[in-house]
Amino acid sequence: SILMQRRLFLYNFRNLRKAKGRRETYLCYVVKRRDSATSCSLDFGYLRNQMGCHVEVLFLRYISAWDLDPGRCYRITWFTSWSPCYDCAQHIASFLRSYPNLTLRIFMARLYFCEDRKAEPEGLRRLHKAGAQIAIMTFKDFFYCWNTFVANREQTFRGWEGLHENSVHLARKLRRILLPLYEVDDLQDAFKILGL
């Protein structure tokens, strides 16, 4: 099916601060071609990671096969259950450099951090520097996904307890990650001076 089952969406996209047991990454996407002031939807759907291949890489392979017209502008929007790992962020950044006529917006339900490497924040910074617009999903984004990618049987999306608070918490965390490093050092120094 082109639409995700409700239980899959609700389980995998729930923006919990600690999402134990959620090992799969789901990626909902919309691809549009921009023609002057208007845009034309070309495709939408969802993917999940497959054995040995992360979902971001699967999508990049999928879109690379399209043979995009370099004379046209494209916009891709992703809604992902996890932010990209360091390696995927590198692949995406490289892809964006190869396609200057393409813009990518990534809305993430949760931030992924591999405990043993701690490289993911750097990957997100590089991805942002490569031109990707990255943000944490808010109620509006979950609502949009529910109505666009989920077989919801015409049921209205009802947010879960803590959705807004978790979105705000994760957005602040992402904002700190994306701050230029000299600003982070300035903030750390300010906190030390204040005794925090």
Side-chain angles (χ1 to χ4, degrees), residues 87-144:
D87 293 336
C88 287
Q90 295 290 85
H91 288 297
I92 299 164
S94 176
F95 178 83
L96 289 174
R97 285 190 290 275
S98 300
Y99 291 91
N101 59 325
L102 185 144
T103 59
L104 175 63
R105 299 183 310 164
I106 305 173
F107 297 91
M108 307 164 292
R110 295 182 302 270
L111 294 172
Y112 170 75
F113 294 107
C114 185
E115 295 302 320
D116 57 343
R117 289 189 353 178
K118 302 254 187 202
E120 277 63 34
E122 178 58 29
L124 290 175
R125 282 189 286 273
R126 287 186 181 188
L127 186 54
H128 181 66
K129 189 175 179 182
Q133 301 166 19
I134 54 180
I136 296 298
M137 290 176 71
T138 63
F139 180 89
K140 180 183 77 166
D141 303 314
F142 290 110
F143 182 85
Y144 174 81

Side-chain angles (χ1 to χ4, degrees), residues 18-193:
K18 295 189 182 195
K20 293 187 180 186
R22 288 163 173 84
R23 295 185 177 5
E24 292 186 314
T25 301
Y26 281 80
L27 184 153
C28 300
Y29 64 89
V30 176
V31 180
K32 292 184 177 186
R33 184 182 67 229
R34 294 193 321 214
D35 298 312
S36 64
T38 63
S39 63
C40 170
S41 287
L42 300 177
D43 194 18
F44 81 100
Y46 78 95
L47 300 167
R48 70 176 175 85
N49 48 330
Q50 301 295 321
M51 206 55 125
C53 190
H54 288 192
V55 70
E56 298 90 347
V57 174
L58 288 173
F59 183 86
L60 295 180
R61 288 179 187 165
Y62 170 68
I63 200 72
S64 293
W66 280 30
D67 210 17
L68 297 172
D69 181 349
R72 296 211 154 166
C73 294
Y74 299 90
R75 183 173 77 187
I76 298 172
T77 304
W78 288 354
F79 299 90
T80 62
S81 55
W82 288 105
S83 63
C85 71
Y86 178 80
D87 293 336
C88 287
Q90 295 290 85
H91 288 297
I92 299 164
S94 176
F95 178 83
L96 289 174
R97 285 190 290 275
S98 300
Y99 291 91
N101 59 325
L102 185 144
T103 59
L104 175 63
R105 299 183 310 164
I106 305 173
F107 297 91
M108 307 164 292
R110 295 182 302 270
L111 294 172
Y112 170 75
F113 294 107
C114 185
E115 295 302 320
D116 57 343
R117 289 189 353 178
K118 302 254 187 202
E120 277 63 34
E122 178 58 29
L124 290 175
R125 282 189 286 273
R126 287 186 181 188
L127 186 54
H128 181 66
K129 189 175 179 182
Q133 301 166 19
I134 54 180
I136 296 298
M137 290 176 71
T138 63
F139 180 89
K140 180 183 77 166
D141 303 314
F142 290 110
F143 182 85
Y144 174 81
C145 287
W146 179 262
N147 290 316
T148 306
F149 304 107
V150 178
N152 60 38
R153 297 185 191 156
E154 298 187 18
Q155 289 184 348
T156 303
F157 176 71
R158 298 184 196 287
W160 46 84
E161 186 177 335
L163 183 154
H164 176 71
E165 293 82 3
N166 290 341
S167 288
V168 169
H169 171 77
L170 291 167
R172 285 180 181 152
K173 196 171 198 175
L174 178 62
R175 197 170 322 128
R176 282 193 303 273
I177 289 168
L178 298 180
L179 278 174
L181 290 179
Y182 64 85
E183 288 187 33
V184 172
D185 290 340
D186 289 348
L187 283 174
Q188 289 172 341
D189 291 342
F191 285 139
K192 284 179 189 171
I193 291 168

